[in-house]
Amino acid sequence: MAAASALAGAFTNLAVSAKVSSKRTNVVAKKAFSARSAVAKRNLTISNVATGPKGPATSAESSDEDKILADQGAGQYTNVDPEIRRIVPVANGRVVVKVVYVVLESQYQSALSAAVQQLNANNTQVCFEVSGYLLEELRSEKNLAQMKKDVENANVFIGSLIFIEELAEKIVAVVEPLRAQLDACIIFPSMPAVMRLNKLGTFSMAQLGQSKSAIASFMKKKKESGGFEEGMLKLVRTLPKILKYLPSDKAQDARNFMNSLQYWLGGSTDNLENFLLMISKAYVPALADMEMEIAEPETFPEIGIWHPTAPAMYEDLKEYLNWYDTRKDMKFAKDAPVVGLVLQRSHLVTGDEGHYSGMVMELESRGAKVVPIFAGGLDFSIPVERFFFDPITKGAYVDTVLSLTGFALVGGPARQDHPKAIDSLKKLNVPYMVTVPLSFQTTEEWKDSTLGLHPVQVALQVALPELDGGLEPVIFSGRDSKTGKSHSLQDRAAQIATRAIKWSALRKKKNVDKKLAITVFSFPPDKGNVGTAAYLNVFGSIFRVLQGLKKEGYNVGNMPDNEMDLINSVLNDKEAKFASPDLNIEHKMTVKEYEKLCVYQESLHENWGPPPGNLNSDGQNLLVYGKKFGNVFIGVQPTFGYEGDPMRLLFSKSASPHHGFAAYYTYIQKVFGADAVLHFGTHGSLEFMPGKQVGMSGNCYPDLLIGDTPNIYYYAANNPSEATIAKRRSYANTISYLTPPAENAGLYKGLKELKELIASYQGLKDSGRGPSIVNSIITTAITCNLDKDIKELPTDADADAKDMDSDTRDMIVGKVYQKLMEIESRLLPCGLHVVGCPPSAEEAVATLVNIAGIDREDEEIQALPQLLAQCVGQDIETIYRANDAGELAQVQLLQDITEASRAMIGDFVNKASDPSGRLAAGALGAFGNMFGGASVALPWGDSLKGTKFDSIDVAAGRKLFDYLRFCLEQIVKDNELGALTEALNGEYVLPGPGGDPIRNPKVLPTGKNIHALDPQAIPTSAALASAKVVVDRLIERQRVENNGVYPESIALVLWGTDNIKTYGESLAQVMLMVGVRPMPDALGRVNKLELISLEELGRPRIDVVVNCSGVFRDLFVNQMNLLDRAVKLAAEQDEPYEMNFVRKHAVEQAEELGLSIREAATRIFSNASGSYSSNVNLAVENSSWNDESQLQEMYLNRKSFAFNSDAPGSGMETKTDIFKSALSKVDVTFQNLDSSEISLTDVSHYFDSDPTKLVAGVRKDGKMPASFIADTTTANAQVRSLSETVRLDSRTKLLNPKWYEGMLASGYEGTREIQKRLNNTLGWSATSGQVDNWVYEDANDVYMADPEMQKRLMETNPNSFRKMVANFLEANGRGYWETSEENIERLRNLYMEVEDKIEGVEN
């Protein structure tokens, strides 16, 4: 692949320095890059073999996993038959040299085949029999066996770019035992173990690896500061210097190696002919005495500018432009956009440049000029900086950069220098698009695949360029199955070209003329939900955006004066609430107009019938909802359309967009004529429409819908996974926004009273009043329903504390205090964020306290709680464990530590606030002297003076607070509005990671182009350690609660965002449950497995049923492969059933379903490719379900698609029987909470993926499984029951005045957020039955029984208020809430009142 070919450039300097009297030439394009003739396969007779056939050798020992892998054949990502590359000559008395080659990609196939054909046709002394394999083809055991057979009879083995560990191991296993009998074995840049196979006479990297040489230090895999490629580059640069110290024969062999590299990198047919002749002459005995004419390697410029019709390569931009601007075949407009193309030199020199030519022609035919640059090495930033800047003005000469390498700008597959790439791209400051060539699949295989792009390519050529700020991973070229040559995909190239030109136009068009379509969401579809977005005050933010656009010179027409007027104009009602069941209609699209403009509308008929349909329609026209203000259109995106249809929700695969949805995007592009669309907030439906997961075709709905309109998307900084889906499937430039500032939940009502009682008890416990205070504590705790969480609370009415001893009283008070502090210290986002509005100083304190609460080993920073614990001679982990046990003194100590932390950071932050209470960048500099080593002042001031913590380690404290200062500065540097301006100006938006700002403060500042992470880097060793803590606690808690019996199977959920935030903790949990350890390969990529022995494990292997979210499936296909391999590895172990529940269940299922044990061990499930969620959430949100069995059927239908590592190319396959069978053995359901910003009732995804009642339904004994939630939102990780977590969530949010008052302060949108929490609580009742009656009762008291609260909800958002009333009635009607008839009657009357008011009925 072009991506990995970049690594070959690491050897270029060696080849240049080692060439023997080789003349550097700038080769004429027509000669150097002429098309090579296709080679037909020949089956001819062999008369004379060079060194005779060689007998087979013993294969290297296979791993445990390899032993149990059977030949798969079909189901791989590619099924091309390697026999198409076999060339068998007619010997006619000549010596036959047998050559086997394995390469990563096919670009060398055509040139090498042409070279062999020419040699066989013209050379009278020698001919070549060649068999070739692409690396990916060796996943097939059949192909691997054939390769082994070929190598057993070969003279020469050639390998290049073998960088996939599991396949590299297979090659080593085949070639290493045969190495001694090969005449030559030459390996170009590859994994270290493969490089050791090199053998040219006396030149052997394996031998040199044992000596004190540059090669030795490299082959011992010492960590170089620059990583693998830098180590390799250092090695090859050193080789020429050590040649003079070697005996002449060894020096000659080393020179031959370097000359071989020069030939290979040259890549032309002539170079490859001479390469084969040189190697054969030097090392095949039968040719030793033959005279041959062998030309020196022909070299090419290392960097330059290429054009398919140019007479030469250019090494100067002025020379290129002199030619380009005087072309007679093309004329361009004066202000034509200029697109800079980035190419891989290896495709040019091997003559495999047809796909590049196609892209150039596509752009030029649309009026764009091009500057196609190339590099032969790893660093494309060098030609970018040399050729993309105007030689006169020194500013950017190009308007958009379009990389056709599909790879990171700087670096190869093992190491990338993203900071260097970002510096280079920021300097250029234009949009940066990175398209993708098909390398491991043929065009036909990609078209037929539901997955789309090969997962290895996704990891290397999509995920890694995103870290540079790369946009729009559209497939631009295919691969021919016979010749291996790349070719342009015309419809994809056209899509890329038009989009690149549209991005370029943003640089040239005046702001006053630019048209922007701002798209808001309404989910679930209801007038009270217009402007749905996670954590965001959408209309308040849009109002700020409009103000900003006005200042920038955009035409915003008669812009509203305030946020409420803006809401009213879109909702088409002066009161924003009443007498307007419909939204404002901006455009009525006739069916005739729609059919003319929407070219794909006929494909929607299958699901929705002919237009206009009944969604976003008045029966005659398709309705586009929204409002125009000058050149800005604020539109409401239609929803999926099937939310309210129970039958459609049961479909296993998602339906196409409906006509109204298609009409909306058709309007934006072809009627309104938007220069860009701004999707506002997390998240809409566009990116989740059906189509390939990554690398979409022109028939995938997200691609069709977005068309050629540049897409800018405000996305919550803490949701990098779904932002990545938007980036890859709707081609979005995702700009991060901050989540609301976190605050501690605090205490209220009875909970507050309890804390006061506990304080009294601690002061008076040894007096006669102690027992009576304990009685009050017990009574109040029961009133607050804490007896559900604290089993030690006596509920007997006759219980009296005076009958208890002091230890028992302390234990009860300690348990209550521990639960209170858990509630009080819980972090929760208060209110909603407004784009461009950073938090106040006070609002930053709680976030910084939690940032300070985590050890950061990479920065060598100790957590603040640990520093404070050390002051009293303790360790924080010991305090945490004693606190969890409810030891009163330790609960108090932890509370003291918490209060001291808040005081220290509060004092620190107050120094940084300006008079308005906002954080001020200038204020931070004012106390910079606090961090000097000789400074007297402390960053935390006098906050510890006179306390037991005043002996804190000052040096460690200063280091921590210096880090907190950095974090504070990032919060100040808000660029949310600035990044939007940059994107609309056609500039480069700086990339940055998404995730939890507490775990990873580098998420800040917001206003960055969000990216995820390298998917091959997880789980990290730290994540593995954290996962072990949770797994051990989960299994032990269930064992203790189940009379000492281990759970046999655990059903759990894997989320994309969670695994990005935690670097793979829940991924690691699955592997540890089955007793398998994930391991990194030689390059640090996690793609290997190690079985943990039962002795080390100390418990049975626990079976799992893994439900991967659709987003996880899209982002982490490689990890799904790893998980499936891990489970199957455990299932194949010959161990006692009582110690291996994976095997026990797999054997039972194999007998039950008539499968092999390996098939029966299928445990990794998700949706069908291109579909998302179980639809349970849609049914609950829209009340479109009859009974719980219907919800369970949805889950089974939608979530029973399995991933099979033995046939990974098959995508997700329906395996309903195995899924039901596996679920029927589940004892525990389990999910993770990893961020304070998102809890169980904040989003519907959690209950949507909960199978608790489903498991009870499919179990033969009908038993309800235990349900647990791991909470790793703080340093003190907890495993709670689901019901405990729901209670904690309800107390801290839905029932907490601090939370709901914060929401109500946001008006319309805040009321909707309250209703959403109530709806999600109802969802948990439906899927798990784990919501206590008192939760509904207390919520009813807060929101429905208080006339003043009713009034506030009604005034701010009557539609959401109506939905809240309906939720309560539904909870009662479905049997989830038992309450008084008085409450129900009040709710019925309320519903009718609000219904009448909304409909405009006057009483």
Side-chain angles (χ1 to χ4, degrees), residues 975-996:
N975 189 42
E976 293 169 358
L977 292 173
L980 173 62
T981 301
E982 290 162 7
L984 289 173
N985 287 343
E987 297 173 5
Y988 175 73
V989 178
L990 279 173
D996 181 359

Side-chain angles (χ1 to χ4, degrees), residues 1073-1088:
M1073 286 174 187
V1074 301
V1076 173
R1077 185 180 289 115
M1079 299 291 289
D1081 65 15
L1083 301 182
R1085 301 174 304 198
V1086 184
N1087 54 28
K1088 300 172 72 176

Side-chain angles (χ1 to χ4, degrees), residues 450-451 519 521-523 600 603-604 607-608 615-616 636-643 648 653-665 679 683-697 699-707 713 715 722 725-731 1110-1111 1113-1114 1167-1173 1175 1178 1198:
T450 56
L451 292 172
T519 295
F521 314 120
S522 177
F523 196 82
Y600 54 88
S603 67
L604 314 184
N607 286 124
W608 303 100
L615 295 164
N616 291 68
V636 181
Q637 184 191 73
T639 57
F640 286 109
Y642 47 77
E643 298 88 348
R648 285 186 186 273
K653 297 183 181 180
S654 298
S656 69
H658 57 81
H659 292 294
F661 203 101
Y664 178 81
Y665 282 95
H679 287 94
H683 59 74
S685 307
L686 169 66
E687 60 268 35
F688 296 102
M689 286 295 175
K692 297 182 189 299
Q693 288 176 199
V694 184
M696 291 182 296
S697 72
N699 295 320
C700 295
Y701 287 112
D703 184 278
L704 288 166
L705 289 159
I706 196 63
Y713 208 140
Y715 233 91
E722 290 178 317
I725 299 298
K727 188 185 292 288
R728 295 177 185 176
R729 302 188 87 242
S730 69
Y731 312 141
V1111 173
R1113 175 205 62 208
D1114 286 2
N1167 296 85
S1169 297
S1171 294
Y1172 302 83
S1173 95
N1175 282 354
L1178 300 182
R1198 302 269 301 173

Side-chain angles (χ1 to χ4, degrees), residues 104 224 355 380 421 427 434 664 725 797 826 878 903 933 941 989 1023 1093 1097 1148 1158 1161 1207 1232 1279 1328 1365 1384:
L104 183 68
E224 302 270 353
H355 54 323
F380 293 95
K427 198 186 305 178
V434 183
Y664 178 81
I725 299 298
R826 187 95 168 150
T878 306
V989 178
S1093 69
L1097 200 59
E1148 291 172 358
R1158 193 165 176 82
N1232 285 277
V1279 174
S1328 73
V1365 177
I1384 298 303

Side-chain angles (χ1 to χ4, degrees), residues 845-956:
V845 172
T847 299
L848 287 173
V849 167
N850 280 269
I851 289 173
I854 301 173
D855 278 323
R856 300 183 188 274
E857 292 180 13
D858 291 348
E859 286 90 0
E860 298 180 343
I861 291 171
Q862 277 187 288
L864 187 52
Q866 176 66 5
L867 294 176
L868 294 171
Q870 288 168 356
C871 297
V872 291
Q874 294 210 42
D875 177 80
I876 193 64
E877 284 300 320
T878 306
I879 296 172
Y880 284 151
R881 298 292 72 77
N883 172 81
D884 294 346
E887 294 178 21
L888 182 56
Q890 296 293 76
V891 174
Q892 184 59 57
L893 177 56
L894 184 56
Q895 180 61 10
D896 293 343
I897 287 172
T898 302
E899 292 296 342
S901 299
R902 292 172 183 168
M904 292 171 75
I905 290 171
D907 196 79
F908 167 71
V909 171
N910 284 337
K911 292 182 172 67
S913 60
D914 63 23
S916 71
R918 290 267 161 219
L919 294 175
L924 286 166
F927 57 93
N929 65 334
M930 292 182 181
F931 301 95
S935 171
V936 176
L938 296 171
W940 52 88
D942 295 330
S943 53
L944 297 183
K945 200 169 183 180
T947 72
K948 56 191 167 192
F949 305 117
D950 61 0
S951 62
I952 190 169
D953 182 335
V954 172

Side-chain angles (χ1 to χ4, degrees), residues 518 537-550 559-567 634 680 834-835 977:
I518 297 177
N537 182 329
V538 171
F539 285 107
S541 298
I542 291 176
F543 185 72
R544 284 180 69 91
V545 165
L546 289 175
Q547 288 177 316
L549 292 175
K550 189 174 183 179
M559 178 186 147
D561 294 329
N562 54 57
E563 178 187 337
M564 281 310 299
D565 285 351
L566 178 63
I567 294 173
I634 300 173
F680 220 99
V834 175
V835 165
L977 292 173

